[in-house]
């Protein structure tokens, strides 16, 4: 099972900001971390990540710098800014609201699991 594009798009910003809140990182390492965190269910491409990083940089939520490590090629490292931390806090608040609402819908009143009913059987 792969996560749908709509859900990936909706979760991309808080996912990247959350990873960068752990410490600075470069593109390939961010992609590996996303894959690791999702147990392989989120298999992002560079075509998704780099436009997002550039947008976050334009918004002032991340900063970047080129760094060289001996014996390796130069990499562009990204780090979260104070503005990015504030945006991450807001994203967390919004996601908590969505998750709490979904739990209420899926678990039903009292927190018990709803039985699986086919959609055509519901009024």
């Amino acid at each position: 099972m792969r996560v749908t594009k709509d859900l990936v798009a909706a979760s991309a910003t808080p996912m990247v900001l959350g990873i960068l809140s752990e410490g600075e990182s470069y593109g390939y390492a961010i992609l590996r971390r996303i894959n690791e965190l999702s147990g392989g269910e989120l298999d992002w491409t560079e075509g998704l990540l780099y436009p997002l990083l550039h947008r976050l940089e334009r918004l002032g939520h991340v900063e970047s710098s080129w760094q060289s490590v001996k014996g390796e090629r130069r990499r562009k490292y990204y780090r979260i800014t104070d503005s990015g931390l504030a945006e991450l806090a807001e994203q967390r608040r919004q996601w908590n609201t969505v998750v709490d609402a979904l739990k209420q819908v899926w678990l039903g009143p009292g927190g018990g699991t709803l039985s699986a009913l086919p959609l055509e059987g519901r009024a």
Side-chain angles (χ1 to χ4, degrees):
M1 176 204 77
R2 289 277 186 233
V3 175
T4 66
K5 288 182 180 183
D6 289 343
L7 200 48
V8 168
S11 62
T13 294
M15 183 78 66
V16 169
L17 290 176
I19 289 169
L20 292 176
S21 74
E22 299 172 345
E24 72 177 8
S25 191
Y26 58 96
Y28 182 70
I30 294 169
L31 290 173
R32 276 196 334 247
R33 183 77 172 122
I34 289 165
N35 190 277
E36 169 192 309
L37 288 168
S38 69
E41 295 295 323
L42 295 173
D43 190 22
W44 289 15
T45 63
E46 292 176 359
L48 172 72
L49 178 63
Y50 287 107
L52 173 61
L53 286 169
H54 296 153
R55 183 176 65 79
L56 292 173
E57 194 168 18
R58 277 193 313 275
L59 292 170
H61 298 326
V62 301
E63 297 173 334
S64 65
S65 63
W66 287 97
Q67 298 179 24
S68 297
V69 177
K70 189 171 180 150
E72 296 182 15
R73 57 183 239 225
R74 255 174 28 127
R75 293 183 176 141
K76 192 172 191 179
Y77 279 79
Y78 297 87
R79 72 190 145 282
I80 195 166
T81 63
D82 289 342
S83 167
L85 289 170
E87 177 63 20
L88 177 58
E90 175 59 18
Q91 292 273 329
R92 282 182 179 152
R93 187 195 65 72
Q94 291 180 30
W95 273 97
N96 283 333
T97 300
V98 170
V99 169
D100 289 346
L102 285 171
K103 284 179 183 176
Q104 290 180 49
V105 169
W106 291 335
L107 297 177
T113 304
L114 292 176
S115 60
L117 293 175
L119 290 177
E120 59 272 5
R122 295 188 180 191

